[in-house]
C-alpha cells in the first residue's frame, strides 16, 4: 500500500471530519485508509485537534466504549460569535432596509451562502449536545438557514408547507394562531417526512409572537416527535411574552422607526 506523508494524512483527516459532523470514526478505519499504525493516527488526530482549536473551527470529541471513536463537533467560541453578530447588526441597521409597515428587508442576508453558513455553524454548535435527529422549518425564508444548520449537524432537513402538494402523499394538516397578528394559518407536513420519536430542532429567520414555533411543536406531536430546540436569527423585543419559552435568538430587533428611519438591532443577551 502507498505510504502517505503526515501532511497528506492531516489534510484528509481534517476534511473527512469537518465534512461529516457528528459522525463517529474509529482510529482503525483511518489506520486502514492510510496503512498506518493506530498510534500514528492518534498523533495525527491530536495535531488536527490543536489546529481546530487554534483557528476556532470546532473540536474533536472522543467517544469511549467498544463502539467508540472520534467525531467532529462544530461551533465557534463566544468571541467569534459576537464578532459575526456585530457585523450582522451593522449591516441590518442600514435605514434603506426599512419596508412599509415597519418590516425589515433581509433577503440578501438569508440568501448569502457565506453569511448563512456562519449562522448555521453558530446554531449547530449551540444545539449539538441536544442529540438532534432532524432540523425542521417552515417555507420559505427559513429554508436556507435550516439547511445550513442541518448540514453542520449532519442530519436531514424537513420543511413544513402552508399548502399540500400532490407529490407529498398523505399529509397531516393543522391550524395554528399567529402569535403577532392572531390570524389562523395552516401548516402541512407529509406523513412520511418524520420518523416517530425523533428529536427536532426548529430553525427560522424571524420570531415576533412565537406562533409559528408553537405550531411546529403542536404539529410534530402528531408524529410522536419532540422539538428539543428552537433557534431564530432575529426576535422582536415586543411582545416580550412569546408563545414559546425555550428558544435561542441571535439578534434582537428593538425598534424600526419608519418616520425617523431608525433601526435598532443588537446581539441577543445570550451572546453578550
Amino acid at each position: 500500500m502507498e505510504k502517505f506523508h503526515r501532511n497528506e494524512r492531516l489534510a484528509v483527516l481534517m476534511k473527512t471530519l469537518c465534512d461529516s459532523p457528528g459522525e463517529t470514526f474509529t482510529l482503525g478505519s483511518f489506520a486502514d485508509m492510510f496503512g498506518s499504525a493506530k498510534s500514528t493516527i492518534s498523533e495525527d488526530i491530536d495535531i488536527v485537534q490543536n489546529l481546530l482549536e487554534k483557528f476556532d473551527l470546532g473540536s474533536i470529541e472522543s467517544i469511549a466504549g467498544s463502539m467508540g471513536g472520534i467525531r467532529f463537533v462544530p461551533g465557534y467560541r463566544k468571541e467569534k460569535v459576537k464578532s459575526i453578530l456585530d457585523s450582522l447588526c451593522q449591516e441590518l441597521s442600514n435605514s434603506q432596509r426599512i419596508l412599509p409597515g415597519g418590516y425589515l428587508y433581509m433577503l440578501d442576508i438569508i440568501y448569502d451562502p457565506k453569511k448563512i453558513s456562519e449562522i448555521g455553524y453558530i446554531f449547530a454548535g449551540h444545539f449539538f449536545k441536544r442529540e438532534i435527529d432532524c432540523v425542521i422549518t417552515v417555507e420559505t425564508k427559513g429554508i436556507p438557514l435550516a439547511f445550513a444548520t442541518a448540514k453542520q449537524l449532519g442530519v436531514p432537513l424537513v420543511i413544513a408547507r402552508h399548502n399540500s402538494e400532490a407529490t407529498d402523499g398523505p399529509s397531516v394538516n393543522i391550524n395554528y394562531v399567529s402569535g403577532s397578528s392572531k390570524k389562523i394559518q395552516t401548516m402541512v407536513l407529509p406523513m412520511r417526512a418524520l420518523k416517530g420519536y425523533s428529536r427536532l430542532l426548529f430553525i427560522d429567520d424571524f420570531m415576533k409572537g412565537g406562533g409559528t414555533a408553537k405550531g411546529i411543536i403542536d404539529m410534530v406531536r402528531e408524529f410522536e416527535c419532540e422539538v428539543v430546540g428552537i433557534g431564530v436569527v432575529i426576535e422582536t423585543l415586543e411582545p416580550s411574552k412569546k408563545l414559546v419559552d425555550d428558544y435561542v435568538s441571535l439578534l434582537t430587533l428593538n425598534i424600526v422607526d419608519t418616520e425617523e428611519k431608525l433601526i435598532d438591532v443588537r446581539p441577543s443577551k445570550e451572546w453578550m
Side-chain angles (χ1 to χ4, degrees):
M1 178 180 286
E2 180 184 357
K3 289 292 184 180
F4 295 90
H5 296 294
R6 169 153 282 172
N7 59 343
E8 294 174 317
R9 296 196 305 270
L10 294 177
V12 174
L13 283 170
M14 179 79 80
K15 178 165 178 58
T16 301
L17 290 167
C18 292
D19 283 354
S20 305
E23 182 176 343
T24 301
F25 295 90
T26 64
L27 293 183
S29 65
F30 286 129
D32 292 340
M33 179 189 298
F34 297 116
S36 302
K38 290 184 181 180
S39 57
T40 300
I41 299 299
S42 180
E43 294 172 0
D44 292 344
I45 295 296
D46 288 340
I47 295 173
V48 171
Q49 170 74 312
N50 290 333
L51 287 171
L52 289 171
E53 292 182 355
K54 183 176 181 179
F55 291 96
D56 198 5
L57 298 173
S59 61
I60 295 175
E61 182 178 82
S62 297
I63 302 172
S66 58
M67 300 298 292
I70 59 170
R71 64 178 181 177
F72 173 68
V73 179
Y76 298 131
R77 287 192 287 269
K78 198 166 186 178
E79 294 79 9
K80 186 168 184 177
V81 173
K82 181 66 162 52
S83 175
I84 292 170
L85 298 186
D86 284 340
S87 178
L88 282 174
C89 287
Q90 183 176 3
E91 195 167 353
L92 287 167
S93 295
N94 188 332
S95 61
Q96 294 182 353
R97 291 185 174 274
I98 298 176
L99 299 173
Y103 293 100
L104 193 64
Y105 181 81
M106 52 186 293
L107 288 179
D108 57 330
I109 291 175
I110 288 174
Y111 295 129
D112 184 315
K114 182 177 184 299
K115 291 185 176 68
I116 290 306
S117 293
E118 289 180 333
I119 291 171
Y121 212 75
I122 293 171
F123 280 139
H126 184 83
F127 291 107
F128 187 88
K129 296 295 185 182
R130 301 197 188 187
E131 300 295 335
I132 305 298
D133 295 315
C134 186
V135 173
I136 189 168
T137 192
V138 179
E139 64 175 359
T140 57
K141 289 187 291 183
I143 294 175
L145 299 160
F147 182 83
T149 305
K151 181 179 183 298
Q152 298 300 343
L153 287 170
V155 300
L157 169 64
V158 171
I159 302 169
R161 304 179 185 273
H162 295 298
N163 299 287
S164 60
E165 302 266 348
T167 53
D168 290 342
S171 302
V172 173
N173 295 29
I174 70 162
N175 292 327
Y176 68 99
V177 180
S178 168
S180 53
S181 65
K182 304 302 180 183
K183 293 181 180 179
I184 297 178
Q185 301 185 34
T186 302
M187 192 178 295
V188 181
L189 197 61
M191 293 182 66
R192 299 184 186 184
L194 289 174
K195 295 180 180 179
Y197 307 104
S198 294
R199 296 169 59 83
L200 308 179
L201 170 63
F202 173 59
I203 295 292
D204 207 1
D205 64 312
F206 200 83
M207 178 188 286
K208 192 169 185 180
T212 302
K214 179 68 164 56
I216 284 287
I217 292 171
D218 294 339
M219 164 74 80
V220 303
R221 285 187 183 135
E222 300 295 322
F223 294 81
E224 297 184 305
C225 295
E226 179 186 9
V227 173
V228 297
I230 299 171
V232 297
V233 179
I234 300 179
E235 69 165 319
T236 57
L237 184 64
E238 297 294 338
S240 58
K241 179 62 177 176
K242 313 296 185 187
L243 295 179
V244 292
D245 296 319
D246 185 17
Y247 68 92
V248 170
S249 66
L250 301 186
L251 307 176
T252 299
L253 181 61
N254 296 305
I255 188 172
V256 177
D257 191 323
T258 55
E259 293 184 0
E260 298 293 332
K261 300 294 183 182
L262 174 66
I263 300 170
D264 183 9
V265 56
R266 304 180 186 184
S268 298
K269 294 179 180 179
E270 175 80 21
W271 314 103
M272 296 299 286

